[in-house]
Amino acid sequence: NAPTPTPRQALTFTYVQYDIASLKLSFEGPAGWTPDESVNEMFTLTEPEQQIKDGQLGIIKIYATPVSSNYTESNLVTEIKQRLSDISATNYSEWKPSYTATRYLMGSKGVYANYSGTMVDGVQVGGRIHAVCIDKVLYCIEIVYPLDYKDDYLNVFSKMRESIKRTGT
């Protein structure tokens, strides 16, 4: 009989306030991650390279895209499914999306889905995407993480989801 492996300790994160003037949003996210605002209508936070686990860094992306009308729940489901399709087309050998579900984001009913997959290089990843439309702006938050650390990173996502707010009009 092999000895039972010692369970790994949960990851701990320190949070700081991020104010993203270009998206008119603020939220609490992991301290020490690298912010990137080089892509229009998007903010990315990436875990430092030295903290990589199982070949995958934690990555948070926030989009704020003007749209022509307020999306219905059906439009949000379509948006999430399209984003899942786009992600699955990028170097995955195995792909498992969840069904969509509803949950509030920034005080409005949104739609989210989870996914997991194996990249062609064997790295196992997981993620969650959550979208909401408020005042003709489509907001989407996404996290990607090493799959074996799902609970730790979904806690980061929850902290972000609970703290994100609009800072302007």
Side-chain angles (χ1 to χ4, degrees):
N1 287 343
T4 304
T6 304
R8 71 166 180 79
Q9 280 191 296
L11 300 178
T12 57
F13 296 91
T14 303
Y15 294 92
V16 297
Q17 180 85 13
Y18 289 90
D19 293 304
I20 308 133
S22 62
L23 302 183
K24 299 178 181 153
L25 294 171
S26 69
F27 70 95
E28 291 181 39
W33 287 28
T34 306
D36 179 359
E37 293 185 70
S38 64
V39 177
N40 194 31
E41 301 175 342
M42 185 167 81
F43 177 83
T44 304
L45 265 183
T46 305
E47 194 170 20
E49 286 284 337
Q50 63 269 27
Q51 294 176 17
I52 196 166
K53 294 157 209 67
D54 298 341
Q56 177 65 46
L57 292 170
I59 302 168
I60 293 169
K61 294 180 182 177
I62 302 175
Y63 310 83
T65 310
V67 292
S68 60
S69 64
N70 282 320
Y71 278 31
T72 64
E73 186 176 319
S74 175
N75 296 129
L76 290 170
V77 167
T78 300
E79 182 70 29
I80 292 294
K81 287 181 177 180
Q82 182 58 54
R83 290 189 188 256
L84 288 170
S85 176
D86 292 347
I87 294 167
S88 72
T90 57
N91 295 318
Y92 282 90
S93 59
E94 183 180 346
W95 179 252
K96 296 179 201 165
S98 74
Y99 291 110
T100 59
T102 59
R103 179 176 243 164
Y104 280 79
L105 177 65
M106 295 188 290
S108 295
K109 191 174 185 182
V111 173
Y112 76 97
N114 298 311
Y115 63 87
S116 63
T118 303
M119 305 293 287
V120 293
D121 62 4
V123 173
Q124 293 186 315
V125 301
R128 176 174 285 176
I129 306 170
H130 194 157
V132 66
C133 189
I134 303 169
D135 296 334
K136 296 184 182 179
V137 177
L138 176 65
Y139 296 98
C140 187
I141 59 176
E142 177 183 341
I143 190 166
V144 181
Y145 50 82
L147 189 58
D148 282 347
Y149 294 82
K150 175 182 179 179
D151 292 343
D152 303 289
Y153 286 91
L154 287 181
N155 287 338
V156 169
F157 187 90
S158 291
K159 178 76 167 179
M160 183 179 64
R161 188 189 76 243
E162 292 163 6
S163 65
I164 195 167
K165 60 183 182 272
R166 298 186 302 159
T167 58
T169 55

